[in-house]
Amino acid sequence: MNWRITPAGPLHGRIEVPGDKSITHRAYIFGAVGEGPTVVTGPLRAEDTDNTLRAVVHLGVQVEDLGEKVIINGTGPSGLREPGDVLDLGNSGTAVRLLAGLLAGCPFMSILTGDASLRRRPMARIADPLRSMGALVDGRENGNLLPLTIRGGGLTGIEYHSSVASAQVKSCVLLAGLQASGRTVFREPSLSRDHTERILRRMGVRLVEGGEGLSLEGGQVPRGCGIDVPGDISSAAFFMVAASTVRESDVAIGNVGVNPTRTGIVRLLESMAADIEVRERTDDHEPVADIRVRGSRALQGIEVPPEWIPSIIDELPLAAVAAAAAEGTTVIRGAAELRVKESDRIRTTVQMLRGAGITIEELDDGFIVHGGARVRAACFDSGGDHRIAMASAILSLMAGSPSEVTDTSCVSTSFREFPETLNALAPGSVTEHS
Ligand code: S3P
């Protein structure tokens, strides 16, 4: 599938975006290891999260899929069964790394794999701590690459200092720690998204946060609970940037998750002088807000503080799009993790901007964008990366004539409704063709 993107003028209207991907994965996986029903309302219905749901079913968990609501009837870790086949998690790093933590505690063998992109992504970051806890983990390149085989059970808690700020590594170690004997301590260089900590507490798990890091005692069984999934800020971000860069736009996005470990894109746009208003509605287990963005001001380039990076990691290709529209230079450093996402997102972001005639310098751990030049219509290739496909579409809205984005079927991993949503705000912006 390909898109033709026609710059159709200002974006106007009110939208909602699909459920948060990170929270949906966790609701399914923690629901599976919990005891009693976990009722997930408004989950993301996309390939990544559907793969997690399917994996949970293959582990013997009884699931009621009512569409808008999914009920995971967990029976505790001892209720999980050896899967009859390889678990294929498609494109999802979160699914594979969290499930590895879950399966490391289970006294049977499982095999995890994924698509070509996921099979290139590093797994030593989870295989190492899981082995230290006593799981037998193997895979290509000594367990760094999928497929991974895991023979779990008999784990002992560890103290683990991760060298990367990664919520996937943190969640993996804590999931294994729940099933281990003794205490597990996890420390990371800076705080990554904290949805796992919030969900564990909601499910009644005692999790201590102190100078030594996060710790929990093994043997605690999470209690099933209700989880309302807010809209995904990583999906809302495309329209926030579009409204900030296309003059005279006025876009309201309702029911967006604004967990402070995820709102780097809001901080970035505010610092670039965008006209953005965040009105908090509720803060049950996850804060939720309505966001309004108007295209009333010229954006200014900024130097992004490296400590913001974990809270904006998935939005950095889009940050480059905002930077292309801004006056002056925008510097992003400290983001080497981008090299091991669904694509090498430093490389693919640089290609995307250069394709549109924007000057961008590639760094080992980020990029420097020289903004303010005219955006040229172009043919952008997603390279199979959903966020590059959608960021290219937003960049195309700033050009003077139509562009093409090729290989867009990858968008169904996270946001199938993206073309309709963009067309609702700016009719005629996207047409799909094969
Ligand atoms: C995620 C964590 C981040 C993020 C990914 C989702 C999660 O990855 O990039 O899209 O749900 O835990 P890392 O944990 O590798 O930083």
Side-chain angles (χ1 to χ4, degrees), residues 237-306:
F238 295 103
F239 309 106
M240 288 159 62
V241 170
S244 311
T245 52
V246 178
R247 278 302 174 97
E248 291 172 34
S249 296
D250 187 352
V251 170
I253 314 169
N255 192 40
V256 183
V258 286
N259 178 316
T261 61
R262 296 283 301 283
T263 47
I265 185 68
V266 174
R267 273 201 283 183
L268 175 98
L269 289 172
E270 281 170 352
S271 309
M272 295 178 93
D275 184 351
I276 175 164
E277 202 183 309
V278 177
R279 195 168 307 155
E280 266 200 41
R281 293 195 336 190
T282 54
D283 187 353
D284 182 6
H285 56 296
E286 289 278 355
V288 178
D290 294 332
I291 298 180
R292 183 172 181 189
V293 185
R294 278 174 275 201
S296 54
R297 301 184 197 143
L299 298 185
Q300 305 296 323
I302 62 159
E303 188 149 338
V304 177

Side-chain angles (χ1 to χ4, degrees), residues 22 26 94 97 125 165-168 193 313-314 337 341:
S22 292
R26 284 162 174 78
T94 305
R97 293 188 177 124
R125 55 181 63 195
S166 161
Q168 294 175 359
R193 62 190 66 190
I313 189 75
D314 292 341
E337 273 293 296
K341 294 294 179 189

Side-chain angles (χ1 to χ4, degrees), residues 38 98 134 155 161 167 181 231 249 255 288 321 325 333 351 357 374 383 408:
T38 289
L98 268 63
L155 303 185
H161 295 183
S181 63
S249 296
N255 192 40
V288 178
V321 171
R333 285 182 196 280
Q351 277 165 0
R374 207 171 54 82
T408 56

Side-chain angles (χ1 to χ4, degrees), residues 8 33 45 48 102 110 200 204 305 409:
V33 79
R45 306 310 310 235
D48 274 11
L102 173 67
S110 21
L200 279 173
S409 24

Side-chain angles (χ1 to χ4, degrees), residues 32 111 198 231 410 418:
I111 306 175
R198 288 171 187 256
C410 50
F418 175 83

Side-chain angles (χ1 to χ4, degrees), residues 335-405:
E337 273 293 296
L338 285 182
R339 298 248 180 231
V340 291
K341 294 294 179 189
E342 287 86 325
S343 66
D344 173 345
R345 282 192 181 148
I346 295 182
R347 179 65 44 90
T348 46
T349 298
V350 165
Q351 277 165 0
M352 171 177 72
L353 260 64
R354 284 192 184 147
I358 303 296
T359 305
I360 175 168
E361 296 168 54
E362 177 170 352
L363 308 174
D364 287 347
D365 64 344
F367 37 78
I368 301 176
V369 181
H370 300 276
R374 207 171 54 82
V375 172
R376 242 184 6 223
C379 181
F380 301 98
D381 180 16
S382 78
D385 183 333
H386 56 137
R387 297 204 195 280
I388 296 293
M390 293 183 276
S392 302
I394 302 304
L395 179 60
S396 302
L397 295 178
M398 301 185 322
S401 54
S403 294
E404 289 285 322
V405 184

